[in-house]
Amino acid sequence: MRAAVGRRQASRLGDGPTLTEVEDPKDGKTVKRLGSASVPGSTGTRFAWIGAHDRAGNKDCCAKVVRHLNDRLRGSGSTETPPGNHEKQTLLSPRPGFASFQESAGPLNNNHGANQMDLGINGRVAVVTGGDSGMGFKTAEFLLREGVKVVLTDIDDAQLQKAAEELAAYGEVRAVAADLSRSKGIEVLAAFANMAFDDKPTILVCAAGITGASGDFLELTDDDWLEAIQTDLMTGVRATRAFIPGMRKAGWGRVVLFSSEDAVQPYVEELPYAAAKAGVLNLAKGLSKAYGPDGVLVNAVGPAFIATPMTDAQMEKKSKEKGISFDEAVKQTLDEERPGIVAKRRGKAEEVAAAVVFLCSERASFITGEFLRVDGGSVMTMGA
Ligand SMILES: NC(=O)c1ccc[n+]([C@@H]2O[C@H](COP(=O)([O-])OP(=O)(O)OC[C@H]3O[C@@H](n4cnc5c(N)ncnc54)[C@H](O)[C@@H]3O)[C@@H](O)[C@H]2O)c1
């Protein structure tokens, strides 16, 4: 997947993005690729341009983005080159077309591979937060398979680049690392995403989230609460505020916010998380009413006990604390805390991603303000 590099010549554009000339091993032509940048005052905020090359007409676009972001990073229009080595490059040769679902996914995807339903979003641009892991990653993959161009974002630069490299096999991905629990992070994401492709994003999937502090309510501090609220609620607030205006202008938009079963069925050990996710539900409903008339449909999904790094960490903690194996921890959780899950197993990221991509699609044109539980039956009531 990663193209071999014949020759590199980095053009440093300061403490920011770099354009690097490389020789494409396929045809020997020199192409330009955008490197990564650090953003002063915003810890860990980086971006990387993945898989862009001028054969696809991106050369000018690359240069434009480099100039724009460098100006933003410097806080001026200065062209002076500050010191700093930023030659890290991600060079990819995306496979043309999209792999069929049968090729790499399990039986779940076989129906999709038959292309029985055109989701009608081919060519659109999506932003996926929390995109380098778990359900965000799978959602990005499924969107790419539908021909959607994806701006992938997450907090850890190295992990994000790795994920973007993997996803480039399925379509066009641009990646920018940002801490969305801070307003600076969303500024960087918005600037990048609005210039990443010719079209602006009209699909937004907010999957960034943390379990946050857990334990006895009486022991939890304000900071514990604020951490969960900043990440589990405010990342969605900031992202919708940044991208809904573009959708309104386009007269078409889809937003899917990751809530949780916890929003309607709080687990007493995870109250900051549960309350923040309840806020997400409320946000989704409110936004659906506010911007539905402009063609922007906003929904929330409510997964429960999905096998991702998030619940892996919870199960590892439980297995250590109780001196039981990982599998025993999963079984115990299912028996004692998730008796409603009829399949008696954790859900799969792709089972949630499929629902999310449907909600992002043209086919979901009469669904808004909905809370779609993808929880295997964990929430045992009929209502939200
Ligand atoms: N796994 C479950 O059982 C489950 C159940 C209900 C809801 N959810 C929700 O689904 C979403 C996806 O979770 P997952 O299970 O795939 O977990 P995950 O940990 O695999 O993915 C979450 C991603 O969010 C990113 N993130 C965290 N803080 C961030 C920040 N400040 N800025 C940018 N990115 C940040 C993380 O780096 C991570 O990659 C989350 O919102 C989670 O709360 C998960």
Side-chain angles (χ1 to χ4, degrees):
M1 206 186 301
R2 183 188 277 266
V5 181
R7 177 170 56 88
R8 288 185 179 199
Q9 191 188 7
S11 135
R12 281 189 212 149
L13 297 178
D15 192 10
T18 57
L19 263 186
T20 298
E21 288 194 352
V22 296
E23 198 174 275
D24 191 319
K26 273 194 196 154
D27 55 16
K29 282 185 191 160
T30 298
V31 295
K32 292 199 175 180
R33 303 269 162 75
L34 187 61
S36 62
S38 59
V39 178
S42 177
T43 316
T45 299
R46 298 181 166 274
F47 70 83
W49 194 267
I50 310 289
H53 44 89
D54 60 4
R55 280 178 305 169
N58 283 325
K59 184 173 151 191
D60 290 346
C61 177
C62 269
K64 202 169 137 200
V65 172
V66 168
R67 273 198 305 276
H68 174 81
L69 287 170
N70 271 310
D71 286 351
R72 284 182 65 87
L73 297 174
R74 293 190 191 104
S76 74
S78 161
T79 52
E80 194 188 329
T81 303
N85 183 356
H86 297 277
E87 294 184 8
K88 181 165 61 173
Q89 301 296 317
T90 305
L91 301 172
L92 296 162
S93 182
R95 194 153 21 118
F98 308 114
S100 78
F101 263 43
Q102 287 94 333
E103 203 173 324
S104 65
L108 177 77
N109 300 314
N110 286 344
N111 286 341
H112 191 115
N115 259 342
Q116 286 163 339
M117 180 157 64
D118 175 9
L119 294 185
I121 45 177
N122 184 21
R124 288 197 175 274
V125 176
V127 173
V128 180
T129 79
D132 75 20
S133 175
M135 292 179 268
F137 178 84
K138 264 294 162 201
T139 301
E141 181 191 318
F142 285 12
L143 285 169
L144 288 163
R145 287 171 184 268
E146 292 300 325
V148 174
K149 297 168 190 169
V150 171
V151 175
L152 195 75
T153 186
D154 210 303
I155 198 166
D156 183 89
D157 185 40
Q159 207 170 312
L160 177 71
Q161 295 217 27
K162 197 165 157 277
E165 285 173 31
E166 249 180 78
L167 290 171
Y170 305 107
E172 289 188 65
V173 188
R174 310 282 188 263
V176 60
D179 177 357
L180 301 183
S181 69
R182 300 284 170 266
S183 50
K184 180 85 185 170
I186 201 76
E187 274 177 36
V188 172
L189 169 63
F192 182 87
N194 283 325
M195 298 186 75
F197 297 102
D198 287 345
D199 293 326
K200 294 198 184 338
T202 49
I203 295 173
L204 171 66
V205 176
C206 294
I210 53 168
T211 308
S214 58
D216 188 327
F217 167 75
L218 298 177
E219 307 287 325
L220 297 176
T221 64
D222 279 6
D223 285 346
D224 293 333
W225 276 84
L226 292 174
E227 186 196 25
I229 288 166
Q230 279 291 359
T231 307
D232 290 311
L233 175 59
M234 288 307 295
T235 54
V237 170
R238 293 191 180 100
T240 48
R241 198 165 52 206
F243 293 109
I244 283 178
M247 298 180 196
R248 291 178 79 192
K249 212 167 165 193
W252 192 100
R254 297 285 186 269
V255 177
V256 179
L257 302 176
F258 271 75
S259 180
S260 168
E261 59 165 341
D262 290 49
V264 293
Q265 177 171 271
Y267 295 91
V268 294
E269 295 282 306
E270 295 175 357
L271 289 184
Y273 176 80
K277 291 297 189 183
V280 170
L281 264 195
N282 204 281
L283 176 70
K285 190 69 176 175
L287 292 175
S288 75
K289 288 162 91 173
Y291 305 114
D294 302 329
V296 181
L297 308 185
V298 185
N299 293 290
V301 285
F305 205 32
I306 309 299
T308 67
M310 183 178 270
T311 59
D312 282 353
Q314 291 166 347
M315 293 305 102
E316 271 153 23
K317 185 165 171 255
K318 187 170 192 162
S319 92
K320 267 192 204 133
E321 281 170 3
K322 300 209 161 190
I324 56 179
S325 72
F326 184 93
D327 289 346
E328 283 164 345
V330 171
K331 186 172 181 315
Q332 209 176 88
T333 305
L334 284 165
D335 290 344
E336 293 169 11
E337 297 170 36
R338 303 291 193 281
I341 295 184
V342 290
K344 301 293 170 207
R345 63 166 171 84
R346 287 193 294 172
K348 297 175 190 167
E350 57 263 39
E351 290 173 314
V352 181
V356 174
V357 171
F358 172 72
L359 289 174
C360 291
S361 79
E362 190 55 52
R363 303 285 82 83
S365 51
F366 204 53
I367 304 177
T368 194
E370 182 58 87
F371 177 39
L372 178 54
R373 293 174 353 210
V374 190
D375 67 358
S378 184
V379 177
M380 290 192 267
T381 61
M382 290 291 288

